[in-house]
Amino acid sequence: MQFAPMTGAIPASPPQAIATMTDRAREVVRLNIAALEALERSIDASVARACDIILGRPGYVVVTGMGKSGHIGGKIAATLASTGTNAFFVHPAEMSHGDLGMLRSDTTLLALSNSGESRELRDPLIFCQRNGIPVIGMTQRASSFLGRHSDVTLLMPKVAEACPNGLAPTTSTLMTLALGDALAMVLMDRRGFSAMDFGLHHPGGALGMSLQSVREWMGDNHAAPASVPETARFAEVVSAITEGRKGAVAVVRADGTLAGMITDGDVRRAFAQDITALTAADIMSPRPITVEPDARMSDVIDRLASNRINNLFVIDDGRPVAIVHISELIQAGYVA
C-alpha cells in the first residue's frame, strides 16, 4: 500500500484537544516521577551485594535483556564501561546461537527483565547456573525465573505503566535505567574512578577534549611561543608579536624563565608614551595568567573565561613552552 505525501499546512488541534494532550503528557511525567520515588524507597543492601560480586571478579560484566529491556541494557553497559567497569551488551537470543561463549568463567551476567519471564533469558541463565557464573537480575518479580536464578536480585517496585493498556514499557524501563545508573555510580565510587580516568575513556567530543591535559593538546611538535628579552626595544616587541601571530609575546629573563607578557593591547596603550625609550620590561604585564602542561584543557578554558583574556602561556619549569589562544580552541572545538 502506498500513501500519498502530505501536502499543505498541518491543521492545528482545537484548544480542548491541546489541553487534553498537554494534561496527558504531564500525567505520564508524574507517573514516572512516582515510579522513581518508589524505586528510591525500595533500594536496599542488594545493590552493595551486587557491587561486591562485580568487584570481586576479574572478568567483564555481560549485560543482557530482551526488547525494551535490551535497549536499556545497552545503555547500562555503555555507562559501566565508561566509568571503570568493563562491560558489554549481548542480545539474549544470540546467546542461544553461539554467543554463550562470551560468558567466560570469570564474567558476571547482569540480566534485565521486568517480568523476569522472558523466554530468551532462559538459556543464558541455565548456562550460568551450570558453570558457576554469578547472575545479577533486575526485575519486578522475585519469584520469576530470573529472580530464582539470580545470585542477587535488584528488585524494582511494582508500579503501573504509563501506557493506558499497561503494555508498553514506560515506568518500568525508566526504573531499570535509573537502577542501572545507580549501580554504575556506586561501582565508580568504590573504584575511586577519577575525572582523569573518565577523560581517558572519552577522548572524543567536547567532553573528552576538555578533559585532555595541556600536554596532550600541545603534542610533540607544538611551536614554542614568540619571546623577547626584557631589554628588547619597542620595535623588536612589535615585530615579535607580528611574527608570532598569537597577539602576544613572552618576555623572558636571561635564564629563559618567564618575566612577563606583552599583548597587542599593551602595545597600543604604549603609544601614549615616548616609544623610542621603551623596553619590553617597561610595557609588559609582570604577572600573566599561566598554566602548566599537566593542567586539563577545561582549566585553560575556565581561566581564559574568568579573566576575560584571549591567550595565556603554558609554563614548564618556569619557562614558556606554548601559548594558547582562544581562537585556536574555538576552531578545534574545545569551545562552543
Side-chain angles (χ1 to χ4, degrees), residues 240-242 244-249 261-266 311 323 325:
I241 292 178
T242 302
R245 298 184 179 182
K246 296 292 181 67
V249 64
M261 178 182 192
I262 299 175
T263 66
D264 49 10
D266 295 323
N311 42 36
I323 183 171
H325 196 283

Side-chain angles (χ1 to χ4, degrees), residues 137-217:
M138 285 190 189
T139 181
Q140 283 190 357
R141 296 175 58 199
S143 61
S144 64
F145 191 85
L146 173 57
R148 297 194 308 273
H149 286 77
S150 295
D151 295 87
V152 174
T153 303
L154 301 180
L155 195 61
M156 297 180 293
K158 294 181 179 180
V159 297
E161 299 284 8
C163 170
N165 300 316
L167 299 174
T170 47
T171 53
S172 60
T173 48
L174 181 63
M175 287 193 299
T176 306
L177 177 62
L179 190 52
D181 283 344
L183 180 65
M185 294 302 100
V186 174
L187 286 166
M188 184 178 177
D189 292 344
R190 287 281 302 275
R191 294 182 188 279
F193 196 79
S194 67
M196 186 62 68
D197 296 323
F198 196 81
L200 294 175
H201 287 73
H202 297 76
L207 174 62
M209 294 169 73
S210 68
L211 291 171
Q212 286 181 356
S213 70
V214 176
R215 195 184 305 278
E216 290 171 328
W217 170 80

Side-chain angles (χ1 to χ4, degrees), residues 54 56-62 85-88 104-108 191:
I54 293 171
R57 296 178 64 77
Y60 281 79
V61 174
V62 179
T85 299
N86 295 328
F88 60 88
R104 304 183 315 184
S105 60
D106 61 350
T107 59
T108 302
R191 294 182 188 279

Side-chain angles (χ1 to χ4, degrees), residues 20 28 68 74 83 122 177 186 199 209 265 312 317 336:
T20 299
V28 172
K68 303 300 186 296
T83 55
R122 290 179 173 253
L177 177 62
V186 174
M209 294 169 73
L312 53 74
D317 196 25

Side-chain angles (χ1 to χ4, degrees), residues 194-328:
S194 67
M196 186 62 68
D197 296 323
F198 196 81
L200 294 175
H201 287 73
H202 297 76
L207 174 62
M209 294 169 73
S210 68
L211 291 171
Q212 286 181 356
S213 70
V214 176
R215 195 184 305 278
E216 290 171 328
W217 170 80
M218 289 167 56
D220 296 328
N221 301 308
H222 203 85
S227 62
V228 295
E230 294 175 281
T231 57
R233 311 301 295 181
F234 185 80
E236 296 176 85
V237 171
V238 173
S239 178
I241 292 178
T242 302
E243 293 177 5
R245 298 184 179 182
K246 296 292 181 67
V249 64
V251 181
V252 295
R253 303 182 182 92
D255 61 359
T257 58
L258 183 69
M261 178 182 192
I262 299 175
T263 66
D264 49 10
D266 295 323
V267 169
R268 289 192 299 272
R269 287 185 287 273
F271 278 104
Q273 309 172 53
D274 179 10
I275 61 173
T276 60
L278 294 178
T279 65
D282 296 325
I283 58 176
M284 71 179 186
S285 298
R287 289 178 294 277
I289 304 299
T290 62
V291 295
E292 295 184 349
D294 291 329
R296 285 196 287 270
M297 289 305 294
S298 58
D299 296 331
V300 174
I301 296 167
D302 288 344
R303 293 188 190 189
L304 290 172
S306 61
N307 290 282
R308 298 184 181 183
I309 55 178
N310 292 327
N311 42 36
L312 53 74
F313 288 110
V314 182
I315 302 301
D316 191 6
D317 196 25
R319 293 172 170 77
V321 294
I323 183 171
V324 184
H325 196 283
I326 188 65
S327 64
E328 290 180 306

